[in-house]
Amino acid sequence: MISSSKLKSVDFYRKIPRDLTEASLSGAGLSIVAALAIVFLFGMELSNYFAVSTTTSVIVDRSLDGDFVRIEFNFSFPALSCEFASVDVSDVLGTNRLNITKTVRKFSIGTDLKSIGPEFHSVPITTIINHGDAADDEIVEDSVLLTAHTFDTFSRQYPILVVNFYAPWCFWSNRLKPSWEKAAKIIRERYDPGKDGRIFLAKVNCMEENELCRRHHIQGYPSIRIFRKGTDVREDHGHHEHESYYGNRDTESLVATMEALVTTIPQTANALPGTKSDNASDAVKRPAPITGGCRIEGFVRVKKVPGNLIISARSDSHSFESSQMNMSHLVSHFSFGKRINSRTLTDMQRLAPYLGRSYDKLNGQAYFMSSELHENVTIEHYIQIVKTEVMSQKASKDDKLLEEYEYTAHSSIASSRFIPVAKFHFVFSPMQVLIEETSKSFSHFITNVCAIIGGVFTVAGIIDSILHNTMRIVKKVELGKNF
């Protein structure tokens, strides 16, 4: 068994008897300063131990959200009718989706960009519109040509006025012409305006009556509008209520639709219409746009490859005059990926320098052009997207990994030979920014604490020794003693 004397021989901290030591005021003062320094440095180290530091690196994109990303948007087009507004998506891999409606909503807006009325529902086109009759060598024009001076008179005279707004140069207007004129003749023979007077078919040349067509928000040719006496003359927000016809354009379909409209009206000239018909032909009639503007909001999913999000006027059975198209717009919201809610950002203020800065860079940006400069002008936005991932150490389980797509945007206005569009060209970076939160280990904290205590104690001892020896030498000099 090892004796106590042998154990004492390995004592690193041999004790000096207290009566052999000497206390001094300078030593006491230095001890107090050293103790305060140790407490202060310990507090700093403790704070540093609980703090979270971040490291930033750029790596190849290893996203867990797959090959697709969601684009959310909210655009306001003051001069694009909801009737023809189309959201299209394309990319370099050959994806080409036209007129997306499942995840997109449209609302008619006024000049102040505020919604007017309920959501505008586009008509699903499942089959090609039948135009029926081919153009004859000689077409007898049985429908009456209306002008700005006569339009209001006819709309007040007949319970139902059906008008074909057309353009002479338009291919689809010329395809409709023979069927329209034949249908006008048949309806006039069956419902004599002089005796019956319940319905009347007419037409308007938009190239000659430009202001009249603009007043009724005609942007595509031909546009067939159904005006009802008692509703078309009552103004709501400065615009007339009426319907648009989207059905087949052959003579039989036109006549069947017109007769369905007449069935609800008493056989008395100038009588007001009753309730609308439940006939199947109602499926091809929809409320016409009450304003010339449209707000488009919703989302689309796109592949993470270079592509385009395009807003344009589109129809498979209408023509558009490019000089009349104005693609001015306001971007209320435009972002990629899942948005981090404000509550999460509020709870994690320390992440503010890394998140929520450039994920919606286009928000609030307006691209408006004057009426003189909008002709044949396409507005393009070139967007470069980089994904940022933050690996959080102190967040809840659901917020351990925060993802955000940030982007830069450059916009330009260019003349186009084709129908003007608003194009958002996006490019995803193959790299991503990875920000990781790290905290110090407990062993590192203990090591630093020991270093602080030992270091301060040692430095204080050295200073005390220097002060003590200096004071002793000074006293010897004062007494005239040699060193």
Side-chain angles (χ1 to χ4, degrees), residues 77 88 309-314 325 327-329 369 376-380 414 416 418-424:
F77 289 81
D88 309 329
L309 173 67
I310 303 173
I311 312 297
S312 63
R314 178 178 298 280
M325 304 302 298
M327 300 306 295
S328 297
H329 58 272
M369 292 170 291
N376 297 357
V377 171
T378 286
I379 304 176
E380 297 190 51
S416 173
F418 307 102
I419 298 296
V421 300
K423 180 183 293 186
F424 295 80

Side-chain angles (χ1 to χ4, degrees), residues 108-374:
S108 295
I109 58 175
T111 54
D112 57 356
L113 304 185
K114 294 183 179 179
S115 297
I116 298 178
E119 179 181 354
F120 185 91
H121 295 281
S122 300
V123 178
I125 301 177
T126 56
T127 57
I128 298 176
I129 291 180
N130 178 22
H131 283 77
D133 306 315
D136 298 328
D137 293 336
E138 294 184 3
I139 300 176
V140 178
E141 299 191 4
D142 288 286
S143 61
V144 176
L145 183 64
L146 301 182
T147 65
H149 299 290
T150 60
F151 187 89
D152 289 340
T153 301
F154 276 81
S155 65
R156 288 177 172 84
Q157 181 178 355
Y158 297 96
I160 295 180
L161 174 66
V162 186
V163 182
N164 169 23
F165 293 89
Y166 72 97
W169 52 264
C170 170
F171 170 78
W172 298 109
S173 293
N174 292 326
R175 285 288 306 274
L176 171 64
K177 186 175 182 178
S179 298
W180 184 259
E181 299 299 340
K182 290 180 180 178
K185 181 180 180 181
I186 295 173
I187 293 298
R188 191 180 71 251
E189 291 175 349
R190 295 181 182 178
Y191 307 96
D192 188 350
K195 298 180 181 179
D196 191 306
R198 286 180 287 174
I199 188 171
F200 193 81
L201 271 63
K203 58 188 176 183
V204 173
N205 184 347
C206 287
M207 296 299 99
E208 296 180 357
E209 302 296 334
N210 190 273
E211 183 59 35
L212 176 62
C213 293
R214 185 180 295 110
R215 191 176 75 188
H216 293 288
H217 317 295
I218 305 299
Q219 293 185 352
Y221 311 113
S223 290
I224 300 175
R225 298 283 195 259
I226 302 170
F227 297 87
R228 295 174 180 268
K229 184 178 179 181
T231 58
D232 61 290
V233 297
R234 178 169 54 86
E235 294 191 358
D236 183 15
H237 298 286
H239 301 284
H240 298 291
E241 295 180 1
H242 51 276
E243 296 173 321
S244 292
Y245 172 78
Y246 298 101
N248 289 324
R249 297 173 181 172
D250 59 289
T251 304
E252 291 76 11
S253 298
L254 291 171
V255 171
T257 300
M258 304 310 157
E259 289 190 329
L261 293 172
V262 176
T263 55
T264 60
I265 302 175
Q267 193 172 359
T268 303
N270 299 330
L272 294 178
T275 58
K276 294 184 179 180
S277 172
D278 293 329
N279 192 284
S281 63
D282 284 344
V284 297
K285 301 194 302 295
R286 294 289 189 279
I290 58 178
T291 64
C294 187
R295 187 178 80 241
I296 305 172
E297 61 182 49
F299 69 91
V300 294
R301 287 175 55 85
V302 298
K303 294 180 180 178
K304 296 173 70 172
V305 297
N308 300 286
L309 173 67
I310 303 173
I311 312 297
S312 63
R314 178 178 298 280
S315 175
D316 293 331
S317 55
H318 293 81
S319 298
F320 304 97
E321 187 177 1
S322 58
S323 62
Q324 298 295 321
M325 304 302 298
N326 185 344
M327 300 306 295
S328 297
H329 58 272
L330 168 68
V331 181
S332 298
H333 179 78
F334 189 79
S335 65
F336 295 83
K338 180 182 178 181
R339 281 192 288 176
I340 302 176
N341 59 59
S342 57
R343 180 179 178 181
T344 301
L345 288 177
T346 301
D347 294 342
M348 306 178 69
Q349 286 294 333
R350 66 183 183 279
L351 299 178
Y354 310 106
L355 295 173
R357 293 180 300 173
S358 300
Y359 78 98
D360 55 358
K361 198 175 184 69
L362 284 175
N363 285 19
Q365 299 296 317
Y367 303 88
F368 292 156
M369 292 170 291
S370 63
S371 57
E372 295 80 11
L373 299 177
H374 74 264

